[in-house]
Amino acid sequence: MHTGGNHSQCKVCQKSFKRKSYLTEHMKIHTGGKHSPCKVCQKSFRRKSYLTEHMRIHTGEKPFQCSECQKRFSIKPSLYRHELTHSVEKRYQCSECPKHFKLKSLIIAHVRLHTGEKPYQCSECQKCFNEKRHLTLHIRTHTGEKPYQCSECPKDFKLKSLLTAHVRFHTGEKPYQCSECHKCFSQKSNLTEHIRIHTGEKPYQCSECQLCFSQKSNLTEHIRIHTGEKPYQCSECQICFSQKSTLTEHIRIHTGEKPYQCSECHICFSEKSSLTQHIRTHTGEKPYQCPECQICFIRKSSLTKHIRIHTGEKPYQCSECQICFRVKSRLTQHIRTHTGEKPYQCSECQKCFRQKSHLTEHMRIHTGE
Protein backbone atom coordinates (compact mmCIF):
# COMPACT_ATOMS: atom_id res chain seq x y z
CA MET A 1 0.00 0.00 0.00
CA HIS A 2 1.04 3.62 -0.50
CA THR A 3 2.52 5.63 2.36
CA GLY A 4 1.76 9.27 3.00
CA GLY A 5 -1.76 9.65 1.44
CA ASN A 6 -3.40 6.32 0.65
CA HIS A 7 -4.10 6.64 -3.05
CA SER A 8 -5.52 3.08 -3.18
CA GLN A 9 -8.35 3.55 -0.70
CA CYS A 10 -12.00 3.75 -1.71
CA LYS A 11 -13.50 7.10 -0.64
CA VAL A 12 -16.98 5.57 -0.48
CA CYS A 13 -16.44 2.52 1.76
CA GLN A 14 -12.80 3.07 2.90
CA LYS A 15 -11.71 -0.35 1.64
CA SER A 16 -7.98 -0.41 0.76
CA PHE A 17 -6.25 -2.11 -2.17
CA LYS A 18 -2.64 -3.04 -2.98
CA ARG A 19 -2.87 -1.65 -6.50
CA LYS A 20 -4.59 1.31 -8.04
CA SER A 21 -5.96 -0.93 -10.82
CA TYR A 22 -7.80 -2.99 -8.17
CA LEU A 23 -9.33 0.21 -6.78
CA THR A 24 -10.44 1.22 -10.31
CA GLU A 25 -12.23 -2.11 -10.73
CA HIS A 26 -13.74 -1.86 -7.23
CA MET A 27 -15.17 1.63 -7.88
CA LYS A 28 -17.41 0.19 -10.59
CA ILE A 29 -19.42 -1.47 -7.79
CA HIS A 30 -20.41 1.99 -6.53
CA THR A 31 -20.74 3.73 -9.91
CA GLY A 32 -22.47 0.84 -11.66
CA GLY A 33 -19.97 1.11 -14.49
CA LYS A 34 -19.86 -1.89 -16.82
CA HIS A 35 -17.38 -1.31 -19.61
CA SER A 36 -16.95 -4.81 -21.04
CA PRO A 37 -19.96 -5.68 -23.23
CA CYS A 38 -20.47 -9.13 -24.80
CA LYS A 39 -20.56 -8.85 -28.60
CA VAL A 40 -22.98 -11.77 -28.88
CA CYS A 41 -25.74 -10.87 -26.38
CA GLN A 42 -24.69 -7.31 -25.35
CA LYS A 43 -24.60 -8.15 -21.64
CA SER A 44 -22.04 -5.92 -19.85
CA PHE A 45 -19.53 -6.75 -17.12
CA ARG A 46 -17.46 -4.75 -14.62
CA ARG A 47 -14.33 -6.77 -15.26
CA LYS A 48 -12.77 -8.08 -18.43
CA SER A 49 -12.16 -11.43 -16.64
CA TYR A 50 -15.93 -11.77 -16.07
CA LEU A 51 -16.51 -11.16 -19.78
CA THR A 52 -13.88 -13.81 -20.65
CA GLU A 53 -15.71 -16.38 -18.50
CA HIS A 54 -19.10 -15.32 -19.90
CA MET A 55 -17.95 -15.74 -23.51
CA ARG A 56 -17.43 -19.46 -22.84
CA ILE A 57 -21.22 -19.80 -22.64
CA HIS A 58 -21.37 -18.87 -26.32
CA THR A 59 -18.20 -20.64 -27.49
CA GLY A 60 -18.66 -23.79 -25.39
CA GLU A 61 -14.99 -23.63 -24.37
CA LYS A 62 -14.09 -25.64 -21.23
CA PRO A 63 -10.37 -25.08 -20.51
CA PHE A 64 -10.29 -26.60 -17.00
CA GLN A 65 -10.05 -30.41 -16.83
CA CYS A 66 -10.34 -32.78 -13.87
CA SER A 67 -7.22 -34.95 -13.59
CA GLU A 68 -9.24 -37.83 -12.11
CA CYS A 69 -12.12 -38.29 -14.57
CA GLN A 70 -11.23 -35.83 -17.41
CA LYS A 71 -14.51 -33.93 -17.05
CA ARG A 72 -14.11 -30.34 -18.29
CA PHE A 73 -15.37 -27.02 -16.92
CA SER A 74 -15.66 -23.46 -18.21
CA ILE A 75 -14.58 -21.78 -14.94
CA LYS A 76 -11.96 -22.73 -12.34
CA PRO A 77 -14.28 -22.60 -9.26
CA SER A 78 -16.50 -25.27 -10.87
CA LEU A 79 -13.43 -27.49 -11.29
CA TYR A 80 -12.45 -26.98 -7.63
CA ARG A 81 -15.95 -27.94 -6.44
CA HIS A 82 -15.96 -30.99 -8.71
CA GLU A 83 -12.54 -32.19 -7.51
CA LEU A 84 -13.93 -32.35 -3.98
CA THR A 85 -16.24 -35.15 -5.12
CA HIS A 86 -13.13 -37.31 -5.65
CA SER A 87 -11.18 -36.34 -2.52
CA VAL A 88 -13.57 -35.34 0.28
CA GLU A 89 -15.74 -37.65 2.35
CA LYS A 90 -19.38 -36.82 3.06
CA ARG A 91 -18.64 -35.52 6.56
CA TYR A 92 -21.69 -33.27 6.99
CA GLN A 93 -24.73 -35.20 8.19
CA CYS A 94 -28.26 -33.82 8.34
CA SER A 95 -29.73 -34.04 11.88
CA GLU A 96 -33.24 -34.51 10.46
CA CYS A 97 -32.64 -37.30 7.92
CA PRO A 98 -29.86 -39.80 7.05
CA LYS A 99 -28.39 -37.76 4.18
CA HIS A 100 -24.66 -36.84 4.14
CA PHE A 101 -22.96 -34.03 2.21
CA LYS A 102 -19.40 -33.26 1.12
CA LEU A 103 -19.75 -29.46 1.30
CA LYS A 104 -21.03 -27.33 4.18
CA SER A 105 -22.89 -25.09 1.72
CA LEU A 106 -24.86 -28.11 0.47
CA ILE A 107 -26.04 -29.16 3.92
CA ILE A 108 -27.03 -25.56 4.76
CA ALA A 109 -29.22 -25.49 1.63
CA HIS A 110 -30.58 -28.99 2.38
CA VAL A 111 -31.58 -28.15 5.99
CA ARG A 112 -33.88 -25.43 4.63
CA LEU A 113 -36.03 -28.19 3.10
CA HIS A 114 -36.78 -29.32 6.67
CA THR A 115 -37.13 -25.85 8.25
CA GLY A 116 -39.04 -24.30 5.34
CA GLU A 117 -36.70 -21.28 5.40
CA LYS A 118 -36.58 -19.34 2.13
CA PRO A 119 -34.21 -16.38 2.60
CA TYR A 120 -33.90 -15.35 -1.06
CA GLN A 121 -36.79 -13.17 -2.27
CA CYS A 122 -37.59 -11.95 -5.79
CA SER A 123 -37.92 -8.15 -5.85
CA GLU A 124 -40.45 -8.37 -8.71
CA CYS A 125 -43.07 -10.81 -7.39
CA GLN A 126 -41.89 -11.46 -3.79
CA LYS A 127 -41.63 -15.22 -4.38
CA CYS A 128 -39.06 -16.76 -2.01
CA PHE A 129 -36.45 -19.48 -2.53
CA ASN A 130 -34.24 -21.61 -0.30
CA GLU A 131 -31.18 -21.32 -2.58
CA LYS A 132 -29.66 -18.28 -4.26
CA ARG A 133 -29.19 -20.12 -7.56
CA HIS A 134 -32.93 -20.85 -7.68
CA LEU A 135 -33.64 -17.12 -7.28
CA THR A 136 -31.13 -16.31 -10.05
CA LEU A 137 -32.88 -18.73 -12.41
CA HIS A 138 -36.33 -17.43 -11.41
CA ILE A 139 -35.38 -13.80 -12.13
CA ARG A 140 -34.86 -14.80 -15.77
CA THR A 141 -38.62 -15.45 -16.05
CA HIS A 142 -39.07 -11.69 -15.51
CA THR A 143 -36.12 -10.46 -17.57
CA GLY A 144 -36.52 -13.02 -20.36
CA GLU A 145 -32.75 -13.55 -20.27
CA LYS A 146 -31.54 -16.70 -22.02
CA PRO A 147 -27.74 -16.55 -21.81
CA TYR A 148 -27.02 -20.06 -23.11
CA GLN A 149 -27.05 -20.22 -26.93
CA CYS A 150 -26.86 -23.33 -29.11
CA SER A 151 -24.03 -23.11 -31.65
CA GLU A 152 -25.92 -25.36 -34.09
CA CYS A 153 -29.34 -23.63 -34.20
CA PRO A 154 -30.82 -20.28 -33.08
CA LYS A 155 -32.30 -21.63 -29.82
CA ASP A 156 -31.44 -19.94 -26.50
CA PHE A 157 -31.88 -21.37 -22.99
CA LYS A 158 -32.25 -20.04 -19.45
CA LEU A 159 -30.34 -22.95 -17.92
CA LYS A 160 -26.97 -24.41 -18.88
CA SER A 161 -28.32 -27.92 -18.18
CA LEU A 162 -31.10 -27.35 -20.75
CA LEU A 163 -28.55 -26.31 -23.38
CA THR A 164 -26.40 -29.39 -22.59
CA ALA A 165 -29.42 -31.68 -23.01
CA HIS A 166 -30.49 -29.85 -26.21
CA VAL A 167 -27.04 -30.14 -27.84
CA ARG A 168 -27.37 -33.93 -27.61
CA PHE A 169 -30.23 -33.75 -30.14
CA HIS A 170 -27.66 -32.46 -32.64
CA THR A 171 -24.82 -34.82 -31.68
CA GLY A 172 -27.00 -37.89 -31.03
CA GLU A 173 -25.07 -38.49 -27.80
CA LYS A 174 -26.84 -40.71 -25.23
CA PRO A 175 -24.42 -41.04 -22.30
CA TYR A 176 -26.82 -42.60 -19.79
CA GLN A 177 -27.25 -46.38 -20.19
CA CYS A 178 -29.63 -48.74 -18.39
CA SER A 179 -27.70 -51.57 -16.71
CA GLU A 180 -30.66 -53.94 -17.19
CA CYS A 181 -31.50 -53.66 -20.90
CA HIS A 182 -28.65 -51.37 -22.12
CA LYS A 183 -31.06 -48.80 -23.57
CA CYS A 184 -29.38 -45.37 -23.73
CA PHE A 185 -30.75 -41.91 -22.94
CA SER A 186 -29.64 -38.33 -23.54
CA GLN A 187 -30.77 -37.16 -20.08
CA LYS A 188 -30.14 -38.66 -16.65
CA SER A 189 -33.75 -37.93 -15.57
CA ASN A 190 -35.04 -40.05 -18.47
CA LEU A 191 -32.83 -42.96 -17.37
CA THR A 192 -34.07 -42.62 -13.76
CA GLU A 193 -37.69 -42.83 -14.95
CA HIS A 194 -36.89 -45.75 -17.29
CA ILE A 195 -35.25 -47.82 -14.52
CA ARG A 196 -38.62 -47.83 -12.70
CA ILE A 197 -39.95 -50.07 -15.50
CA HIS A 198 -37.54 -52.75 -14.23
CA THR A 199 -37.91 -52.08 -10.49
CA GLY A 200 -41.68 -51.42 -10.56
CA GLU A 201 -41.10 -48.43 -8.26
CA LYS A 202 -43.92 -45.86 -8.20
CA PRO A 203 -42.84 -43.16 -5.73
CA TYR A 204 -45.50 -40.57 -6.57
CA GLN A 205 -48.87 -41.18 -4.84
CA CYS A 206 -52.15 -39.34 -5.30
CA SER A 207 -53.44 -38.05 -1.94
CA GLU A 208 -57.05 -38.35 -3.15
CA CYS A 209 -57.28 -41.95 -4.41
CA GLN A 210 -53.84 -43.39 -3.46
CA LEU A 211 -52.97 -44.35 -7.04
CA CYS A 212 -49.18 -44.44 -7.51
CA PHE A 213 -47.11 -43.29 -10.49
CA SER A 214 -43.53 -43.79 -11.66
CA GLN A 215 -43.25 -40.20 -12.96
CA LYS A 216 -44.10 -36.94 -11.18
CA SER A 217 -45.53 -35.47 -14.40
CA ASN A 218 -48.04 -38.36 -14.59
CA LEU A 219 -49.18 -37.64 -11.02
CA THR A 220 -49.57 -33.93 -11.83
CA GLU A 221 -51.76 -34.78 -14.82
CA HIS A 222 -53.74 -37.37 -12.82
CA ILE A 223 -54.55 -34.88 -10.02
CA ARG A 224 -56.40 -32.78 -12.60
CA ILE A 225 -59.00 -35.61 -12.80
CA HIS A 226 -59.91 -34.75 -9.20
CA THR A 227 -59.59 -30.96 -9.46
CA GLY A 228 -61.09 -30.65 -12.96
CA GLU A 229 -58.29 -28.20 -13.84
CA LYS A 230 -57.72 -27.71 -17.58
CA PRO A 231 -55.00 -25.06 -17.92
CA TYR A 232 -54.30 -25.47 -21.66
CA GLN A 233 -56.77 -23.68 -23.97
CA CYS A 234 -57.07 -23.85 -27.75
CA SER A 235 -56.90 -20.33 -29.27
CA GLU A 236 -59.14 -21.43 -32.17
CA CYS A 237 -62.16 -23.00 -30.42
CA GLN A 238 -61.46 -22.27 -26.71
CA ILE A 239 -61.68 -25.97 -25.73
CA CYS A 240 -59.50 -26.56 -22.64
CA PHE A 241 -57.26 -29.53 -21.86
CA SER A 242 -55.57 -30.91 -18.77
CA GLN A 243 -52.38 -31.84 -20.67
CA LYS A 244 -50.23 -29.66 -22.93
CA SER A 245 -49.51 -32.63 -25.22
CA THR A 246 -53.26 -33.14 -25.73
CA LEU A 247 -53.65 -29.49 -26.74
CA THR A 248 -50.75 -29.82 -29.20
CA GLU A 249 -52.43 -32.84 -30.79
CA HIS A 250 -55.84 -31.10 -30.81
CA ILE A 251 -54.47 -28.03 -32.64
CA ARG A 252 -53.65 -30.32 -35.58
CA ILE A 253 -57.42 -30.74 -36.08
CA HIS A 254 -57.49 -27.05 -37.07
CA THR A 255 -54.20 -27.00 -39.01
CA GLY A 256 -54.67 -30.43 -40.63
CA GLU A 257 -51.04 -31.24 -39.89
CA LYS A 258 -50.16 -34.96 -39.91
CA PRO A 259 -46.38 -35.12 -39.45
CA TYR A 260 -46.06 -38.86 -38.75
CA GLN A 261 -46.07 -41.16 -41.83
CA CYS A 262 -46.12 -44.96 -41.99
CA SER A 263 -43.22 -46.26 -44.11
CA GLU A 264 -45.29 -49.32 -45.14
CA CYS A 265 -48.54 -47.81 -46.45
CA HIS A 266 -47.77 -44.06 -46.25
CA ILE A 267 -50.83 -43.25 -44.09
CA CYS A 268 -50.11 -40.09 -42.07
CA PHE A 269 -51.00 -39.39 -38.44
CA SER A 270 -51.22 -36.29 -36.29
CA GLU A 271 -49.83 -38.15 -33.23
CA LYS A 272 -46.62 -40.16 -32.95
CA SER A 273 -48.32 -42.66 -30.61
CA SER A 274 -50.99 -43.30 -33.29
CA LEU A 275 -48.27 -44.11 -35.82
CA THR A 276 -46.52 -46.46 -33.35
CA GLN A 277 -49.80 -48.30 -32.73
CA HIS A 278 -50.62 -48.38 -36.47
CA ILE A 279 -47.26 -49.98 -37.35
CA ARG A 280 -48.25 -52.91 -35.13
CA THR A 281 -51.11 -53.69 -37.55
CA HIS A 282 -48.35 -54.48 -40.10
CA THR A 283 -46.02 -56.32 -37.72
CA GLY A 284 -48.75 -58.07 -35.69
CA GLU A 285 -46.93 -57.09 -32.50
CA LYS A 286 -49.02 -57.03 -29.30
CA PRO A 287 -46.49 -56.17 -26.59
CA TYR A 288 -48.90 -55.63 -23.68
CA GLN A 289 -50.06 -58.85 -21.98
CA CYS A 290 -52.58 -59.22 -19.17
CA PRO A 291 -50.96 -61.10 -16.23
CA GLU A 292 -54.37 -62.57 -15.27
CA CYS A 293 -55.70 -64.06 -18.51
CA GLN A 294 -52.72 -63.62 -20.92
CA ILE A 295 -54.75 -61.66 -23.51
CA CYS A 296 -52.38 -59.36 -25.45
CA PHE A 297 -52.97 -55.82 -26.66
CA ILE A 298 -51.46 -53.42 -29.17
CA ARG A 299 -51.88 -50.44 -26.84
CA LYS A 300 -50.82 -50.03 -23.22
CA SER A 301 -53.98 -48.00 -22.53
CA SER A 302 -56.09 -50.94 -23.75
CA LEU A 303 -54.31 -53.26 -21.30
CA THR A 304 -54.77 -50.74 -18.46
CA LYS A 305 -58.52 -50.58 -19.15
CA HIS A 306 -58.76 -54.37 -19.50
CA ILE A 307 -57.02 -55.03 -16.16
CA ARG A 308 -59.80 -53.07 -14.41
CA ILE A 309 -62.19 -55.89 -15.42
CA HIS A 310 -60.15 -58.16 -13.11
CA THR A 311 -59.52 -55.64 -10.31
CA GLY A 312 -62.92 -53.94 -10.40
CA GLU A 313 -61.15 -50.58 -10.18
CA LYS A 314 -63.18 -47.53 -11.25
CA PRO A 315 -60.87 -44.53 -10.83
CA TYR A 316 -63.02 -41.92 -12.61
CA GLN A 317 -65.70 -40.47 -10.32
CA CYS A 318 -68.45 -37.98 -11.16
CA SER A 319 -68.28 -34.97 -8.82
CA GLU A 320 -72.07 -34.48 -9.10
CA CYS A 321 -73.49 -37.92 -8.23
CA GLN A 322 -70.34 -39.91 -7.23
CA ILE A 323 -70.93 -42.66 -9.84
CA CYS A 324 -67.57 -44.23 -10.78
CA PHE A 325 -66.34 -45.44 -14.16
CA ARG A 326 -63.54 -47.69 -15.41
CA VAL A 327 -62.85 -45.55 -18.48
CA LYS A 328 -62.39 -41.76 -18.59
CA SER A 329 -64.43 -41.41 -21.81
CA ARG A 330 -67.44 -42.94 -20.03
CA LEU A 331 -67.16 -40.31 -17.29
CA THR A 332 -66.89 -37.55 -19.91
CA GLN A 333 -70.09 -38.81 -21.59
CA HIS A 334 -71.88 -39.19 -18.24
CA ILE A 335 -71.05 -35.63 -17.13
CA ARG A 336 -73.00 -34.37 -20.15
CA THR A 337 -76.20 -35.77 -18.57
CA HIS A 338 -75.66 -33.18 -15.81
CA THR A 339 -74.45 -30.28 -17.98
CA GLY A 340 -76.77 -30.91 -20.94
CA GLU A 341 -73.83 -30.46 -23.31
CA LYS A 342 -74.30 -31.92 -26.80
CA PRO A 343 -71.06 -31.22 -28.72
CA TYR A 344 -71.77 -33.36 -31.82
CA GLN A 345 -73.97 -31.57 -34.39
CA CYS A 346 -75.50 -32.95 -37.59
CA SER A 347 -74.41 -30.86 -40.61
CA GLU A 348 -77.72 -31.65 -42.39
CA CYS A 349 -80.41 -30.81 -39.81
CA GLN A 350 -78.34 -29.26 -36.96
CA LYS A 351 -79.60 -31.77 -34.40
CA CYS A 352 -77.05 -32.23 -31.57
CA PHE A 353 -75.91 -35.33 -29.69
CA ARG A 354 -73.96 -36.12 -26.51
CA GLN A 355 -71.94 -38.94 -28.08
CA LYS A 356 -70.16 -39.16 -31.44
CA SER A 357 -71.52 -42.69 -31.98
CA HIS A 358 -75.10 -41.33 -31.72
CA LEU A 359 -74.31 -38.73 -34.40
CA THR A 360 -72.82 -41.45 -36.65
CA GLU A 361 -76.01 -43.54 -36.32
CA HIS A 362 -78.21 -40.47 -36.92
CA MET A 363 -76.34 -39.51 -40.12
CA ARG A 364 -77.55 -42.76 -41.74
CA ILE A 365 -81.05 -41.27 -41.80
CA HIS A 366 -79.77 -38.69 -44.26
CA THR A 367 -77.36 -40.89 -46.22
CA GLY A 368 -79.68 -43.95 -46.38
CA GLU A 369 -76.67 -46.14 -45.51
Side-chain angles (χ1 to χ4, degrees):
M1 284 193 289
H2 298 283
T3 55
N6 190 350
H7 299 297
S8 296
Q9 185 178 45
C10 175
K11 293 178 181 178
V12 179
C13 65
Q14 281 69 54
K15 192 172 182 179
S16 296
F17 299 87
K18 291 179 181 178
R19 297 181 185 175
K20 194 173 182 180
S21 60
Y22 293 168
L23 173 61
T24 303
E25 289 292 337
H26 167 79
M27 285 304 296
K28 292 172 185 174
I29 295 171
H30 301 298
T31 62
K34 293 183 178 181
H35 305 301
S36 300
C38 171
K39 293 179 180 179
V40 179
C41 65
Q42 279 66 56
K43 191 174 182 180
S44 296
F45 299 87
R46 282 196 299 271
R47 295 185 184 179
K48 194 172 182 180
S49 60
Y50 294 165
L51 172 61
T52 302
E53 291 178 354
H54 167 80
M55 284 303 296
R56 292 174 189 147
I57 293 170
H58 301 299
T59 63
E61 183 191 6
K62 293 181 179 181
F64 305 103
Q65 187 176 37
C66 173
S67 58
E68 287 285 329
C69 65
Q70 282 67 56
K71 191 172 182 180
R72 303 188 75 92
F73 299 87
S74 57
I75 57 174
K76 215 168 188 177
S78 296
L79 172 61
Y80 288 152
R81 285 195 296 270
H82 168 78
E83 284 176 337
L84 288 172
T85 63
H86 296 297
S87 59
V88 180
E89 294 181 5
K90 292 185 177 180
R91 55 186 175 181
Y92 300 102
Q93 184 178 11
C94 175
S95 59
E96 293 289 327
C97 69
K99 283 193 173 180
H100 289 73
F101 298 88
K102 292 176 180 175
L103 303 178
K104 192 174 182 180
S105 59
L106 294 177
I107 193 168
I108 290 170
H110 167 79
V111 166
R112 290 178 188 138
L113 297 176
H114 298 296
T115 63
E117 183 191 5
K118 294 182 178 181
Y120 302 103
Q121 188 177 45
C122 174
S123 59
E124 287 287 327
C125 64
Q126 283 66 57
K127 192 173 182 180
C128 296
F129 300 87
N130 61 355
E131 293 186 46
K132 190 176 181 180
R133 64 190 179 93
H134 293 163
L135 172 60
T136 302
L137 298 176
H138 166 79
I139 285 170
R140 289 175 185 157
T141 63
H142 298 297
T143 63
E145 183 191 8
K146 292 182 178 181
Y148 302 101
Q149 188 176 36
C150 177
S151 58
E152 292 288 327
C153 69
K155 282 193 174 181
D156 299 314
F157 299 88
K158 291 174 186 174
L159 307 180
K160 190 177 182 181
S161 59
L162 293 178
L163 172 60
T164 303
H166 166 79
V167 165
R168 290 178 186 141
F169 285 108
H170 296 297
T171 63
E173 182 193 9
K174 293 183 177 181
Y176 303 103
Q177 187 178 45
C178 174
S179 58
E180 288 287 327
C181 65
H182 311 298
K183 191 173 181 180
C184 295
F185 299 88
S186 59
Q187 298 183 43
K188 191 175 182 180
S189 59
N190 292 344
L191 171 60
T192 302
E193 291 174 355
H194 166 81
I195 285 171
R196 291 175 187 145
I197 295 171
H198 301 296
T199 63
E201 183 193 8
K202 294 183 177 181
Y204 305 103
Q205 187 177 43
C206 173
S207 57
E208 288 286 328
C209 65
Q210 280 66 58
L211 273 179
C212 295
F213 299 87
S214 59
Q215 298 179 30
K216 192 176 182 180
S217 58
N218 290 346
L219 172 60
T220 303
E221 291 172 357
H222 165 80
I223 285 170
R224 291 175 186 146
I225 294 170
H226 301 296
T227 63
E229 183 193 8
K230 293 183 177 181
Y232 304 104
Q233 188 178 43
C234 174
S235 58
E236 288 287 327
C237 62
Q238 282 65 57
I239 290 178
C240 295
F241 299 89
S242 58
Q243 299 178 33
K244 190 176 182 180
S245 59
T246 310
L247 171 61
T248 302
E249 291 167 0
H250 164 82
I251 286 171
R252 292 177 184 144
I253 295 171
H254 300 297
T255 62
E257 183 191 9
K258 292 183 177 181
Y260 305 104
Q261 188 178 43
C262 174
S263 58
E264 288 286 327
C265 62
H266 310 299
I267 290 177
C268 296
F269 298 88
S270 58
E271 304 169 32
K272 191 176 181 179
S273 59
S274 297
L275 172 60
T276 303
Q277 290 161 15
H278 166 79
I279 285 170
R280 291 175 186 148
T281 63
H282 297 297
T283 63
E285 182 192 12
K286 292 184 177 180
Y288 304 105
Q289 187 178 43
C290 173
E292 289 287 327
C293 63
Q294 282 67 55
I295 291 178
C296 295
F297 298 88
I298 289 172
R299 303 177 185 180
K300 190 178 181 179
S301 59
S302 300
L303 172 60
T304 303
K305 292 171 187 175
H306 167 81
I307 285 172
R308 290 174 188 150
I309 296 170
H310 299 296
T311 62
E313 183 195 5
K314 294 182 178 182
Y316 303 103
Q317 186 177 44
C318 174
S319 58
E320 288 288 326
C321 63
Q322 281 67 57
I323 291 177
C324 296
F325 298 87
R326 271 200 303 267
V327 184
K328 189 179 179 181
S329 59
R330 292 283 182 265
L331 173 60
T332 303
Q333 292 168 7
H334 167 79
I335 286 171
R336 290 173 188 149
T337 62
H338 297 297
T339 63
E341 183 192 9
K342 294 182 178 181
Y344 302 104
Q345 188 177 43
C346 173
S347 58
E348 291 288 328
C349 64
Q350 281 68 56
K351 191 173 182 180
C352 296
F353 299 88
R354 289 195 188 101
Q355 297 182 35
K356 192 176 181 180
S357 60
H358 294 169
L359 172 60
T360 302
E361 290 171 1
H362 166 80
M363 286 300 295
R364 293 174 187 147
I365 296 170
H366 299 296
T367 62
E369 182 189 358

